[in-house]
């Protein structure tokens, strides 16, 4: 069993409208934009990161806004819902905030004994806020949500699968343990993690495969402390029979990727070097940062990329 993995690192989704995406995650959810950069493989497309003050692993939601992408098709082999942690007693505040911002598909439910507010993000992403009594992580309060109500980071993600046997075995190998099952959903928890410690498995044997598009999660990333730990995890996964990429420099972390038996793309990402490697903490996310190999495209990209604040200006 692996001991290096410490919970979620980030979740990356697809989007279509960069300004709308920026508005929803910074203004509606109150997260901080900690980085604006571009897709390494498609530099004419943003890669936007939102999280707490410094982009702590376990708090960071990221998006690739492809302007002409079709809406995703929900199904199996994907992350079904991304869940953020908020303080106990705060969901009334969020219901009012979502009503004012006309957020879609808002529903108050109970999940594993906790109150949970399901909703759809601006481009259809299935998300939720869950009340957590003992989450001590410090929230970002610079975008209009006070500390009594602000998002602490991720609580969990749910995986929608046609069969969960091999994925459950993989997660146990990654250090997760069975917690409980309710209403057909199996919950696994990473003990002594970073706060973003929960994975839920939902089995839907008669549902077809998901189609990637706007509102779909592209991949879910798990956190390891450093590159040495990442290499240990990579070797163990390779020895177990998984096809794992070599480490890839993503500027703010190193990443390896592999496809799970249930079809979901997993990443193992390092906590180092962090989002302050090229910006002062006080100014994270304020300017366009480019990978070195794309710096020569800066003038063209600044002309091409959609202004992120145009929704506020409209």
């Amino acid at each position: 069993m692996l001991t290096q993995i410490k919970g979620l690192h980030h979740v990356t989704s697809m989007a279509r409208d960069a300004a709308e995406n920026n508005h929803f995650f910074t203004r509606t959810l109150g997260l901080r934009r900690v980085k604006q950069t571009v897709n390494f493989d498609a530099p004419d497309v943003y890669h936007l990161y939102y999280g707490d003050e410094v982009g702590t692993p376990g708090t960071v939601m990221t998006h690739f806004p492809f302007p002409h992408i079709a809406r995703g098709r929900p199904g199996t082999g994907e992350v079904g819902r991304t869940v953020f942690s908020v303080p106990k007693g705060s969901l009334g505040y969020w219901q009012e905030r979502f009503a004012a911002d006309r957020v879609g598909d808002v529903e108050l439910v109970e999940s594993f004994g906790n109150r949970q507010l399901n909703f759809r993000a601006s481009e259809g992403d299935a998300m939720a806020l869950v009340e957590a009594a003992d989450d001590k992580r410090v929230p970002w309060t610079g975008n209009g949500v006070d500390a009594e109500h602000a998002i602490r980071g991720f609580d969990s993600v749910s995986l929608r699968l046609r069969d969960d046997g091999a994925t459950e075995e993989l997660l146990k190998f990654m250090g997760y343990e069975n917690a409980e099952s309710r209403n057909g959903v199996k919950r696994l928890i990473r003990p002594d993690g970073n706060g973003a410690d929960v994975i839920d498995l939902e089995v839907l044997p008669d549902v077809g495969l998901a189609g990637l598009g706007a509102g779909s999660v592209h991949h879910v990333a798990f956190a390891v402390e450093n590159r040495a730990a990442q290499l240990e995890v990579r070797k163990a996964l390779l020895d177990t029979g998984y096809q794992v990429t070599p480490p890839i420099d993503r500027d703010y972390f190193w990443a390896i990727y592999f496809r799970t038996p249930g079809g979901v793309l997993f990443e193992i990402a390092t906590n180092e070097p962090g989002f302050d490697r090229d910006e002062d903490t006080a100014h994270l996310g304020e300017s366009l940062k480019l990978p070195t190999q794309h710096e020569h495209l800066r003038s063209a990209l600044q002309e091409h990329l959609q202004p992120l604040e145009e929704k506020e200006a409209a």
Side-chain angles (χ1 to χ4, degrees):
M1 183 185 75
L2 298 173
T3 59
Q4 299 90 340
I5 293 169
K6 302 303 180 184
L8 297 178
H9 186 283
H10 64 270
V11 177
T12 294
S13 291
M14 311 296 287
R16 181 166 41 204
D17 187 290
E20 185 176 83
N21 181 263
N22 179 74
H23 178 88
F24 186 86
F25 284 91
T26 61
R27 301 305 175 188
T28 301
L29 293 188
L31 299 176
R32 185 183 195 188
R33 188 179 71 228
V34 294
K35 194 64 60 180
Q36 54 170 311
T37 182
V38 295
N39 187 310
F40 272 68
D41 302 314
D44 59 335
V45 173
Y46 278 117
H47 193 177
L48 303 175
Y49 294 76
Y50 311 98
D52 67 2
E53 181 180 11
V54 296
T56 304
T59 75
V60 181
M61 187 80 210
T62 98
H63 281 83
F64 298 130
F66 284 83
H68 304 296
I69 194 172
R71 180 63 61 91
R73 182 183 69 251
T76 52
E78 69 170 351
V79 171
R81 190 176 298 276
T82 303
V83 184
F84 295 96
S85 170
V86 294
K88 205 82 170 176
S90 65
L91 289 188
Y93 166 90
W94 285 102
Q95 285 178 297
E96 293 181 6
R97 189 176 182 88
F98 286 172
D101 281 6
R102 299 181 181 179
V103 175
D105 294 345
V106 178
E107 179 186 20
L108 184 63
V109 301
E110 182 180 289
S111 177
F112 290 90
N114 295 313
R115 282 164 35 98
Q116 179 169 304
L117 192 65
N118 294 341
F119 64 95
R120 293 275 176 185
S122 54
E123 298 198 71
D125 317 50
M127 294 188 165
L129 305 175
V130 66
E131 292 185 342
D134 57 353
D135 192 337
K136 305 303 183 186
R137 291 176 290 177
V138 178
W140 169 250
T141 57
N143 278 337
V145 181
D146 61 75
E148 293 182 4
H149 304 104
I151 289 170
R152 267 51 184 169
F154 294 122
D155 173 82
S156 61
V157 295
S158 65
L159 309 184
R160 294 162 53 95
L161 309 168
R162 299 195 75 173
D163 180 272
D164 67 349
T167 300
E168 181 181 353
E169 183 179 342
L170 167 63
L171 288 167
K172 288 180 178 178
F173 181 65
M174 292 169 61
Y176 284 78
E177 299 177 359
N178 286 113
E180 57 180 314
S181 296
R182 296 195 188 191
N183 302 317
V185 178
K186 188 177 296 182
R187 171 155 288 190
L188 291 91
I189 294 178
R190 180 67 179 88
D192 302 318
N194 59 12
D197 305 327
V198 178
I199 306 291
D200 289 337
L201 303 181
E202 182 180 5
V203 178
L204 302 165
D206 300 320
V207 175
L209 292 175
L212 186 67
S216 302
V217 170
H218 184 271
H219 63 268
V220 56
F222 296 83
V224 293
E225 189 60 36
N226 52 41
R227 294 188 66 192
Q230 184 185 67
L231 290 173
E232 293 169 358
V233 170
R234 182 175 186 269
K235 182 180 185 305
L237 289 168
L238 287 169
D239 289 346
T240 309
Y242 287 95
Q243 300 297 311
V244 188
T245 68
I248 301 171
D249 184 0
R250 297 303 194 196
D251 282 354
Y252 312 106
F253 48 87
W254 287 78
I256 58 174
Y257 303 87
F258 65 103
R259 186 72 61 177
T260 67
V264 182
L265 183 62
F266 277 9
E267 174 185 342
I268 310 296
T270 61
N271 291 348
E272 59 179 14
F275 293 101
D276 60 354
R277 69 175 295 271
D278 58 1
E279 286 182 299
D280 184 87
T281 299
H283 299 286
L284 288 178
E286 293 181 6
S287 59
L288 179 66
K289 295 297 179 181
L290 297 177
T292 301
Q293 64 268 37
H294 299 317
E295 185 60 50
H296 69 286
L297 301 173
R298 177 172 292 276
S299 295
L301 291 175
Q302 288 178 322
E303 181 70 23
H304 167 79
L305 291 168
Q306 179 186 12
L308 294 180
E309 308 302 330
E310 70 178 31
K311 183 176 178 66
E312 281 77 13

